[in-house]
Every structure is written in structure tokens, then in C-alpha cells.
Amino acid sequence: MIPWLPSPLTPVPDPETVPPVPDMPVGLVAASGEVNVQRLRGAYAKGVFPWYSQGQPVLWWSPDPRTVLHVEEFRLHRSLRKTLQHFLDAPGCEIRVDTAFDQVICACASTPREGQDGTWIVPEMLEAYRAWHRAGQVHSIETWIDGQLAGGLYGVSLGRMFFGESMFSHRTDASKIALAALVGLCRQRGVEMIDCQQRTAHLVSLGAREIPRRDFLAHVRRVVAQPPVSWHYDASVWAALDDRLRPGGLAASPRNSALPT
């Protein structure tokens, strides 16, 4: 049987100690009746995250293999580099960190996704991650255009590890721009890996790949104990991503003065 966590204080088990259960999905390590910041913090430090739907118990997962993005392997395709440079040149386009966390997580929960019916970011998850954000370990990377939140992502930062949770776009490529900024931030701060949890074609196109769970967990154990990262944005992020990316790097013209819609 999958372990049941009877108390809010019962920690999530180490995934390597939970034997596989016949007829149960690979990577499911525990179930509980609630989710709270203390349990989330302990779970992520063990490479475990919650993922479930409304009406289900809280299900705790550690997939094998695990999809990750090594930040030095991020694929800055020519088209994305061009999009980023247009963004940097356009008046009213900016990256912000942690200025609209509630908007970001709510947009991640409510934005329709192809092939998905509903959302795993259910109300109790919203409240738990909001509380964890207030405690300083959950962050949003935000793409703003003309004073409007156009896209972004949020995730968990423990030590020198970033666990990506979800992203959204209301404008073309807005979430890719936020991810590119996150990669630059991670490179600046010595964060080697972003956890992507599950494999998607979109993430693979940007350089994500699967690694064995044992390798992922060994990396997590090593880096979560390191000093925490300070998350803030400045324009030097783009040089960490590609030294050809510079604010004002293109000549101003109607063609490159705004992010495509």
C-alpha cells in the first residue's frame, strides 16, 4: 500500500524507501488529507511534490525518470533570441520578480491547456503556495507588457535548487521569456538545475531532458543544503544567458518595437 500520512506533522517519506506497489503509478510515494508549508518544505527537500485533482487525497510524487533543465543546456534558438531582443528593445516590456505572485499562480491555475481538463492547482494548493511565498521560498518570474501581466511562471527555491511548478502565457512567447530570464538568474546565482517534474515536448524543445531519479535525488540532497538564493532582477541577467542580448541592442523600428501578439 502507498503510505498514508495520518497527521499534518507526519513527514513525506524518502522516495527511495517506498517500494513500488503493483497496479499503482510509478513515482507515487504517499497520500495525505492535507497540504501545508511544513510538509511541502520537507517534501521538496526530498525531491517530492504534490499533484492531484479536486476531490482526491493529496498525492505525493517523485517520478522516475525525472525531467530537468540543466541551465547550461538551455536552447536559445535563433527565433527565441530574436524575440528576447525585441522584448528588451520595446518600451513598456519588462521582467519583474515577485511583484504579482497571486496573479501568476491564479493565471497558472485558470489558463486552459491543450489536452488537460481542469487543473491540479486546486484551492488548497493555492493557499499553501501563497503561504510558502510569504515565507520567502516560492517565487514568481513575470513578463510585463505595457503595465499588464502577459505571462510568467512560479516555483520553489531551496538552497541552490529551483523547482519549476507552472507557467502561463496571455501573449505569444511570454512564458518563454520568463523562463529565459529564470535561466539567466540561475546561471548568475550558481543554480545548476531547474526541476521540470514531467516531460513535455515544449520543455524538451528548450533543452530539458530526463535523468534517473537516483541522480536527481542525489543532486537535490547536495544543493538544498547550500545557502539560499536572493531573487531579484536586473538587466545583467541577459548577458548571463547570451552576451549578444542587450537592452537597446536593436535599432528602434516599428518592426521590432514590441513583442509579437
Side-chain angles (χ1 to χ4, degrees), residues 177-229:
I177 292 169
L179 178 60
L182 172 63
V183 170
L185 286 164
C186 287
R187 289 182 181 180
Q188 282 186 323
R189 289 153 174 76
V191 176
E192 301 169 7
M193 181 187 292
I194 299 169
D195 175 31
C196 302
Q197 299 178 352
Q198 301 285 349
R199 185 183 188 275
T200 68
H202 171 66
L203 290 169
V204 169
S205 74
L206 294 170
R209 59 183 172 91
E210 293 180 329
I211 63 174
R213 182 173 70 180
R214 65 179 179 276
D215 295 346
F216 173 76
L217 296 180
H219 178 80
V220 168
R221 284 192 292 267
R222 176 172 65 84
V223 299
V224 297
Q226 295 179 7
V229 166

Side-chain angles (χ1 to χ4, degrees), residues 91-175:
C93 290
E94 58 183 322
I95 293 292
R96 303 179 189 174
V97 176
D98 287 339
T99 68
F101 179 81
D102 279 4
Q103 287 178 255
V104 170
I105 194 171
C106 287
C108 288
S110 62
T111 300
R113 302 176 194 277
E114 185 177 353
Q116 292 186 19
D117 182 17
T119 179
W120 62 271
I121 310 175
V122 297
E124 56 265 41
M125 291 277 279
L126 282 169
E127 291 308 311
Y129 283 92
R130 282 169 174 156
W132 206 6
H133 168 68
R134 292 192 295 270
Q137 291 181 311
V138 181
H139 302 279
S140 58
I141 313 298
E142 307 152 8
T143 303
W144 289 80
I145 301 174
D146 296 330
Q148 300 294 315
L149 180 64
L153 60 86
Y154 77 96
V156 175
S157 174
L158 295 179
R160 289 295 193 274
M161 184 70 199
F162 193 91
F163 302 85
E165 285 298 307
S166 188
M167 60 177 64
F168 80 97
S169 282
H170 291 330
R171 296 277 295 272
T172 302
D173 290 335
S175 64

